Amino acid sequence: MKEFPLARPYIGQAEINSVVKVLKSGVLSLGPVGQEFEEAFAKRVGTRYACAVSSGTAGLHLAILAAGIGYGDEVITTPFSFVASANCILYVGAKPVFVDIDPITYNIDPAKIEKKITRRTKAILVVHIFGQPTAMDTVMKLAKKYKLRVIEDACESIGATYQGRQAGTFGESAVFAFYANKQMTTAEGGMIVTNSKRVYEQCKSLANQGRSANLQWLDHNRLGYNYRLDELSSALGREQLRRLDWMIAKRRQIAGWYTECLSEFADIVEAPQTAPGNTHTWFVYVVLIHGTSSQRDRVIQALHNSGVASKPYLPSIHLFKFYKEQFGYRRGDFPLSESVSDRSLALPFYIGLTKKDVKEIVSRFITTLTRYGNK
Ligand SMILES: *Cc1c(COP(=O)(O)O)cnc(C)c1O
């Protein structure tokens, strides 16, 4: 029986060669490849600057710091995300104020933001979840009206567009991530993009122990971190970036096969939808089933036994224990986010899956669902 993992990076010979070349060069950090990767990345997204960092989480931390967010500030964000997008707000002593999601994209619902704005609100941190951008026109209008910063967590949505414009080009800064399951990978790594020279220089400095570009090695003029991306990872990223359009096209093709195969089961499975005005770059392929979260968990277990990996995607952040304890969030606070969290399931999704594979996965999934999903 063929087994299907949830995700798998696509690594070609060019990536292997470029990493070996760095190893042989003797320059393993703070070298020319990192700089080249940053320049190529900024060009691809269409921003003036890009600052490579050691992870998406590190990038979010620096983007928050560069926005001047600190103790006592409030940041409006979504509960339906990977935990890092809210944790980075906690890192600086600010408070995440959650707003429920849009039922099509699962991104923050911009229509619900305004009534959460207070005198303490400093920023809106949107997350473009699963490969599809947030409706940025309303977000940007609100930001202008109330003089709020906008930070985009674009970690799952590289290459996606909203009304023809690239995710990551709307806010003061945006962050991308390159963990091994993302659309492109550097193993671990991330990138902050911005059009602001101030934000760029601050991020570069903070990622490198508080040194400015013109400082000597042991001069530090602010509290900084070591969030640098090494040359090996940068070389990997530089090659992945060259194939990005091809990899996105492949992901779209596989998503299309899934949607086609699932269409005849629309009464028991909800396939993902793309909002008008958006293009989708498919970080994951997530379906919703009917029933409770324990039924969904049973389906995942049974699918696992049939050789198909799947996962709940994603738990709502406000229901994690430390968020509930610190901020008093409760079940029922964000019903749409909770409903997606309870019923969602990510199916195997990676370059290399054939149409035959997708048919086989869907067949095992539907068999499992009809057996375990409604009991
Ligand atoms: C992957 C991801 C991040 C960053 O993750 P790292 O593992 O730190 O690179 C942040 N936000 C979202 C929504 C993500 O999916």
Side-chain angles (χ1 to χ4, degrees):
M1 184 178 64
K2 187 162 178 181
E3 306 225 345
F4 299 99
L6 196 59
R8 181 189 278 170
Y10 181 88
I11 304 294
Q13 194 58 43
E15 282 85 337
I16 293 167
N17 293 345
S18 72
V19 171
V20 170
K21 193 169 154 202
V22 168
L23 278 171
K24 289 180 176 167
S25 78
V27 182
L28 302 187
S29 191
L30 286 169
V33 185
Q35 207 171 333
E36 196 196 324
F37 180 36
E38 289 177 337
E39 281 163 18
F41 196 87
K43 195 162 173 218
R44 173 64 175 76
V45 174
T47 54
R48 211 165 289 155
Y49 306 102
C51 168
V53 283
S54 53
S55 71
T57 306
L60 287 166
H61 186 187
L62 298 190
I64 292 265
L65 286 169
I69 296 162
Y71 185 80
D73 293 332
E74 293 179 357
V75 178
I76 290 177
T77 192
T78 169
F80 190 76
S81 176
F82 180 60
V83 70
S85 65
N87 281 355
C88 65
I89 299 166
L90 304 191
Y91 293 164
V92 299
K95 180 185 176 183
V97 173
F98 294 120
V99 167
D100 210 355
I101 59 172
D102 173 90
I104 304 291
T105 62
Y106 312 149
N107 291 322
I108 193 169
D109 183 349
K112 292 179 181 159
I113 290 177
E114 193 163 15
K115 61 175 182 288
K116 295 288 188 83
I117 296 173
T118 72
R119 273 183 331 188
R120 289 173 179 268
T121 309
K122 188 98 182 224
I124 304 172
L125 193 160
V126 299
V127 181
H128 308 308
I129 208 76
F130 295 169
Q132 182 169 199
T134 305
M136 290 307 287
D137 55 350
T138 313
V139 173
M140 296 315 290
K141 270 185 213 141
L142 286 170
K144 197 164 175 202
K145 183 171 168 191
Y146 293 96
K147 297 193 166 49
L148 305 175
R149 312 274 184 139
V150 174
I151 298 169
E152 299 174 70
D153 177 340
C155 291
E156 300 189 358
S157 292
I158 188 169
T161 60
Y162 172 73
Q163 294 179 351
R165 196 167 146 187
Q166 287 283 318
T169 61
F170 294 88
E172 156 179 301
S173 62
V175 178
F176 293 88
F178 311 126
Y179 181 68
N181 68 347
K182 303 273 150 98
Q183 289 95 327
M184 61 169 273
T185 187
T186 60
E188 296 279 2
M191 192 75 82
I192 306 159
V193 299
T194 181
N195 286 319
S196 156
K197 188 159 188 251
R198 179 192 62 77
V199 169
Y200 167 70
E201 287 178 348
Q202 210 166 333
C203 289
K204 282 304 274 184
S205 168
L206 289 170
N208 191 23
Q209 307 283 17
R211 292 178 197 111
S212 296
N214 56 2
L215 284 184
Q216 295 299 306
W217 179 244
L218 290 176
D219 279 350
H220 309 270
N221 60 2
R222 51 162 71 89
L223 174 66
Y225 306 85
N226 177 359
Y227 285 168
R228 296 185 302 261
L229 190 70
D230 64 81
E231 290 283 281
L232 301 167
S233 300
S234 297
L236 184 47
R238 181 68 193 91
E239 293 307 324
Q240 289 266 286
L241 192 58
R242 286 186 221 278
R243 325 181 177 269
L244 182 63
D245 288 329
W246 176 82
M247 292 198 291
I248 289 171
K250 277 282 169 204
R251 296 179 90 86
R252 285 194 176 127
Q253 183 180 42
I254 297 163
W257 292 334
Y258 266 118
T259 301
E260 186 188 328
C261 291
L262 287 166
S263 63
E264 59 181 293
F265 307 103
D267 52 333
I268 53 170
V269 195
E270 292 174 39
Q273 291 174 271
T274 306
N278 276 356
T279 63
H280 204 312
T281 56
W282 300 102
F283 165 54
V284 280
Y285 193 90
V286 173
V287 298
L288 301 190
I289 65 176
H290 302 311
T292 64
S293 63
S294 52
Q295 285 169 326
R296 187 269 319 271
D297 294 344
R298 250 197 328 263
V299 171
I300 287 175
Q301 184 55 49
L303 258 182
H304 170 79
N305 296 341
S306 81
V308 176
S310 65
K311 247 194 193 152
Y313 243 85
L314 295 151
S316 291
I317 296 171
H318 68 286
L319 295 180
F320 286 129
K321 185 161 171 280
F322 70 110
Y323 277 86
K324 287 202 285 192
E325 284 173 2
Q326 193 169 343
F327 300 107
Y329 286 119
R330 283 173 303 168
R331 182 163 271 278
D333 285 346
F334 307 103
L336 293 175
S337 178
E338 291 165 21
S339 169
V340 177
S341 294
D342 288 347
R343 303 189 291 125
S344 64
L345 176 160
L347 291 168
F349 194 76
Y350 49 88
I351 294 169
L353 282 174
T354 63
K355 191 167 187 184
K356 187 162 163 271
D357 291 334
V358 169
K359 279 185 179 162
E360 176 63 26
I361 292 164
V362 168
S363 154
R364 290 189 212 170
F365 173 52
I366 295 298
T367 305
T368 309
L369 190 57
T370 46
R371 196 171 301 161
Y372 297 97
N374 294 310
K375 276 182 200 154

